Amino acid sequence: MKKFMNSADDFLKESLQGFGAAHQDIVNCHYDPNFITRATPTKEGKVALISGGGSGHEPMHGGLVGYGMLDAACPGFVFSSPTPDQMLAAAEKVDSGAGVLFIVKNYSGDVMNFQMAAEMMQGPNESVLTNDDVAVEDSSFTTGRRGVAATVVVEKIVGSLAEHGGSLQECKALGDKVNKNSGSMGVAFSSCTVPAAGKPNFDIGDDEMEFGVGIHGEPGRRRDKMKSAQEITNELLEAINEDLKPEANEEILLFVNGMGGTPLTELYLIYDNAKNMLDKKNIKISRSLVGNYCTSLEMQGASITLTKLDEELLKHWDSSVHTAAMRWGV
Amino acid sequence: MKKFMNSADDFLKESLQGFGAAHQDIVNCHYDPNFITRATPTKEGKVALISGGGSGHEPMHGGLVGYGMLDAACPGFVFSSPTPDQMLAAAEKVDSGAGVLFIVKNYSGDVMNFQMAAEMMQGPNESVLTNDDVAVEDSSFTTGRRGVAATVVVEKIVGSLAEHGGSLQECKALGDKVNKNSGSMGVAFSSCTVPAAGKPNFDIGDDEMEFGVGIHGEPGRRRDKMKSAQEITNELLEAINEDLKPEANEEILLFVNGMGGTPLTELYLIYDNAKNMLDKKNIKISRSLVGNYCTSLEMQGASITLTKLDEELLKHWDSSVHTAAMRWGV
């Protein structure tokens, strides 16, 4: 295992310390229990958005804390669910009276722990569960579909509504809508190594790819031989379209997400290849996002997310945001 | 070789097409010869900044084209210098009468081709040569020191001056100053594969790292056994400090740059470890940048850049910028 680390035990803490120091204008990191809040307290009467999950998917979620997105994030150890005490501590810190919306990716551990925190909380709260990965029903750590990169889109769009005065119920409804309007699927060329494990999560041959991989290296639809980028892109889009059924002339967000170890040039090449196919179907790419947002440590691979957009979603996608990983308008 | 590609011949073109389409609000991509300009023409009387170099270092330089930074970028094939006709075509497109400043990383091919373009140009022009890599004097493709991640800092700061009315001579002088105020050094844990070559640029053992590596995988100071992040960080900073000699209480930009295949968590951990050492020396971290900006395809590794800041540099670092890879204030 080759990693920049001093010890597996200190890995997360040192990384959070660096994150907090590098972005002290945007975030505060809190320890024991670990959670990240905005540097500026949540304003009174604003619904507080909290997400979290295992570490190893950065910049999601800590890099998405800030104006126009999350109020807090709870990082678990690498690929391990955060605990209810982290979520409760975060909720106590950021709840300003208008309630807390938990944004949870569909993994059994995350769901259980967020549910426990929600039950222990005194104040009003709701949860949005993301399950955008169309690859498989049920997986190593999941009942139902996995929550992957569309979580970033949910956090951006609901973050905007909350910032502009949306109520807890309105934020919950919009989050559910964005999740329903989104579909994702990914492919991996390589595995990744959890620091505490010290060895790759799975083995993969020199000429193989995992088609429909999960963001912890969970099996997808099949182990396949390497193919051209255009073939891979077409197959990912076909699987997403089959589920999402975008119509001709419908406006979408095309989000090409890197898993961590794939160069930007390749992500843009996937974007080009995806545009080729979407253009043929007269599906209109209205907004774009390309980069490493929902990663799997150093995994080589990528995922595509489509989100069907309407006027409401467009407005909230475009509104100002100021986080470590996404920033525009300010 | 596992890459998202259809053919080595089409790799760059398809990637540029995707880049241009995903960021059509910011850039225009031009082909045969290949160059990238801003979507909005350079305003009259503004010095035009042009950079370029081999592809494979994205987002540098195409991702740095836009308001407050570059007017144009010329991408060569992966790890190959762009040609004078690319630079000339870009210069003709963006020169608005106030002259052109070429920002060139110190590699023999880049230097020769930019010089040729400069000589063929009709209008006034100047060049800033970056050579911030303190690792070695002379290298596989370089006489003198290599130009690496500080080029991003030069482009940001000089880009701001040009945007705010700086003359060609003033921009040239500020570029030279930022370069002189900067020192960088990197380390690689893995190699990287140029698409057209199909095999890794160099071999490296499972327990080895290349200390002082170049951004094309050029040899550094030594091949070393793996060490802890704190030891690696200390050694990189010692080498930079020996060259740059920042004084106690001096303000610096701490820039932790990923080579492409290293997770953000590890880059932030390096930041934390670097802060430990800089704090001890009372060197004041006034500004921070952490992320993949000057990459080497999918190489696992990172570099540290320090830039000594004064009031002028701080002002231009903080000013608004709107590019695909760096955006704030707008």
Side-chain angles (χ1 to χ4, degrees):
Chain A
M1 173 178 55
K2 286 180 172 181
K3 287 192 186 289
F4 290 98
M5 58 187 277
N6 296 300
S7 77
D9 284 348
D10 295 332
F11 183 79
L12 179 59
K13 184 168 189 193
E14 290 179 29
S15 179
L16 283 175
Q17 284 172 181
F19 176 72
H23 302 290
Q24 55 190 282
D25 54 326
I26 303 175
V27 295
N28 278 337
C29 290
H30 310 260
Y31 305 95
D32 305 314
N34 297 334
F35 62 99
I36 300 161
T37 58
R38 299 187 189 184
T40 314
T42 303
K43 65 182 180 198
E44 219 171 304
K46 179 194 166 297
V47 171
L49 265 55
I50 302 179
S51 191
S55 293
H57 308 300
E58 288 68 22
M60 191 179 78
H61 299 275
L64 306 174
V65 171
Y67 178 83
M69 283 187 90
L70 298 177
D71 292 275
C74 305
F77 290 108
V78 175
F79 290 3
S80 295
S81 295
T83 51
D85 64 312
Q86 292 177 258
M87 300 155 191
L88 261 182
E92 276 169 21
K93 190 87 184 171
V94 300
D95 186 1
S96 74
V100 168
L101 184 70
F102 294 110
I103 299 175
V104 185
K105 300 191 298 302
N106 189 32
Y107 298 97
S108 305
D110 289 11
V111 171
M112 188 180 74
N113 289 353
F114 270 105
Q115 209 157 24
M116 216 179 288
E119 283 164 17
M120 290 160 79
M121 251 196 83
Q122 303 295 325
N125 64 81
E126 287 285 355
S127 294
V128 170
L129 191 69
T130 62
N131 63 350
D132 52 303
D133 190 340
V134 305
V136 292
E137 280 291 324
D138 304 334
S139 187
S140 319
F141 317 111
T142 317
T143 306
R145 302 194 328 188
R146 301 174 296 221
V148 292
T151 313
V152 175
V153 185
V154 170
E155 292 174 4
K156 171 67 188 81
I157 289 174
V158 181
S160 167
L161 177 60
E163 209 69 67
H164 293 93
S167 71
L168 182 57
Q169 292 309 324
E170 287 166 342
C171 288
K172 150 84 176 154
L174 187 63
D176 286 341
K177 175 177 163 182
V178 176
N179 178 59
K180 201 177 146 218
N181 275 17
S182 301
S184 303
M185 192 153 140
V187 58
F189 294 168
S190 79
S191 185
C192 57
T193 298
V194 174
K199 60 181 182 54
N201 250 16
F202 61 93
D203 293 316
I204 186 160
D206 284 345
D207 59 347
E208 289 181 333
M209 59 179 185
E210 183 65 34
F211 190 75
V213 71
I215 58 171
H216 313 91
E218 303 97 311
R221 291 191 174 182
R222 61 179 186 276
R223 182 65 57 97
D224 215 340
K225 293 288 172 195
M226 283 295 292
K227 292 182 178 177
S228 74
Q230 186 69 65
E231 286 171 297
I232 294 170
T233 304
N234 287 353
E235 288 182 31
L236 292 175
L237 280 176
E238 271 158 23
I240 296 167
N241 285 345
E242 200 167 298
D243 183 84
L244 200 62
K245 300 191 174 34
E247 287 170 25
N249 296 312
E250 189 152 16
E251 295 193 51
I252 56 126
L253 163 74
L254 171 56
F255 174 15
V256 178
N257 174 62
M259 297 288 200
T262 293
L264 269 184
T265 38
E266 295 179 42
L267 301 183
Y268 284 118
L269 190 147
I270 295 170
Y271 183 99
D272 172 70
N273 288 192
K275 185 175 182 300
N276 289 343
M277 181 176 170
L278 294 168
D279 282 353
K280 273 182 204 150
K281 292 187 184 291
N282 284 315
I283 296 167
K284 195 181 160 204
I285 306 171
S286 285
R287 295 294 182 275
S288 305
L289 186 67
V290 182
N292 294 288
Y293 291 96
C294 170
T295 62
S296 306
L297 297 167
E298 69 281 5
M299 187 186 278
Q300 284 187 283
S303 65
I304 297 177
T305 297
L306 299 187
T307 300
K308 298 198 276 190
L309 298 169
D310 60 17
E311 217 171 296
E312 182 185 28
L313 270 54
L314 274 167
K315 180 182 75 179
H316 289 301
W317 178 259
D318 289 342
S319 69
S320 296
V321 61
H322 185 179
T323 69
M326 287 176 84
R327 183 170 177 177
W328 55 74
V330 279
Chain B
M1 174 178 55
K2 286 180 171 180
K3 286 190 186 292
F4 291 97
M5 58 187 279
N6 297 299
S7 76
D9 284 347
D10 295 333
F11 183 80
L12 180 59
K13 187 170 187 189
E14 290 178 30
S15 178
L16 283 175
Q17 284 171 181
F19 176 72
H23 302 290
Q24 54 190 281
D25 54 326
I26 303 175
V27 296
N28 277 336
C29 290
H30 310 261
Y31 304 94
D32 304 315
N34 297 333
F35 62 98
I36 300 160
T37 58
R38 299 187 188 183
T40 313
T42 303
K43 66 181 179 200
E44 220 172 301
K46 179 194 166 298
V47 170
L49 264 54
I50 302 179
S51 191
S55 293
H57 308 300
E58 287 70 21
M60 191 179 76
H61 299 276
L64 306 175
V65 171
Y67 179 82
M69 282 188 91
L70 298 177
D71 292 274
C74 305
F77 290 107
V78 176
F79 291 2
S80 297
S81 295
T83 51
D85 64 311
Q86 292 176 260
M87 299 155 192
L88 262 181
E92 275 169 21
K93 192 86 184 171
V94 300
D95 185 1
S96 74
V100 169
L101 183 70
F102 295 110
I103 299 174
V104 186
K105 299 190 300 301
N106 190 32
Y107 298 97
S108 305
D110 289 11
V111 171
M112 188 179 73
N113 289 353
F114 270 106
Q115 208 157 25
M116 216 179 289
E119 282 165 15
M120 290 160 79
M121 252 197 82
Q122 303 293 325
N125 64 82
E126 287 286 355
S127 294
V128 169
L129 192 69
T130 61
N131 63 350
D132 52 303
D133 189 341
V134 304
V136 291
E137 279 291 323
D138 305 334
S139 187
S140 318
F141 316 112
T142 317
T143 306
R145 302 197 322 191
R146 300 174 297 221
V148 291
T151 314
V152 174
V153 185
V154 169
E155 292 174 5
K156 172 67 188 81
I157 289 175
V158 181
S160 167
L161 177 61
E163 210 68 70
H164 293 93
S167 71
L168 182 57
Q169 292 309 325
E170 287 166 342
C171 289
K172 150 83 175 155
L174 186 62
D176 286 341
K177 175 179 164 182
V178 176
N179 178 60
K180 201 179 146 215
N181 275 17
S182 300
S184 302
M185 193 151 138
V187 59
F189 294 168
S190 80
S191 185
C192 57
T193 298
V194 173
K199 60 180 182 53
N201 252 14
F202 62 94
D203 293 316
I204 187 161
D206 284 345
D207 59 347
E208 289 180 335
M209 60 180 185
E210 183 65 33
F211 190 76
V213 72
I215 59 172
H216 312 91
E218 304 98 310
R221 292 191 174 182
R222 62 180 185 273
R223 184 63 59 95
D224 216 339
K225 293 289 172 195
M226 284 293 293
K227 292 182 178 176
S228 74
Q230 186 69 66
E231 286 172 298
I232 294 170
T233 303
N234 286 353
E235 289 183 29
L236 291 175
L237 280 176
E238 271 159 23
I240 296 167
N241 285 345
E242 199 167 299
D243 183 84
L244 201 62
K245 301 190 174 35
E247 287 169 26
N249 296 312
E250 190 152 16
E251 294 193 51
I252 56 125
L253 163 73
L254 171 55
F255 173 15
V256 178
N257 174 62
M259 296 290 199
T262 294
L264 269 185
T265 38
E266 295 179 43
L267 301 183
Y268 284 118
L269 189 148
I270 295 170
Y271 183 99
D272 172 69
N273 288 192
K275 185 174 182 302
N276 289 343
M277 180 175 169
L278 293 168
D279 282 353
K280 273 182 204 152
K281 291 187 184 293
N282 285 315
I283 296 166
K284 194 180 160 207
I285 306 171
S286 284
R287 295 295 181 276
S288 305
L289 186 68
V290 182
N292 294 288
Y293 292 94
C294 170
T295 62
S296 304
L297 297 166
E298 69 280 5
M299 185 186 279
Q300 286 186 280
S303 64
I304 297 177
T305 296
L306 299 188
T307 300
K308 298 197 277 190
L309 298 169
D310 59 17
E311 216 170 297
E312 181 185 28
L313 269 54
L314 273 167
K315 180 182 76 181
H316 289 301
W317 178 260
D318 289 342
S319 69
S320 297
V321 62
H322 185 179
T323 69
M326 287 174 83
R327 184 170 177 178
W328 55 74
V330 278

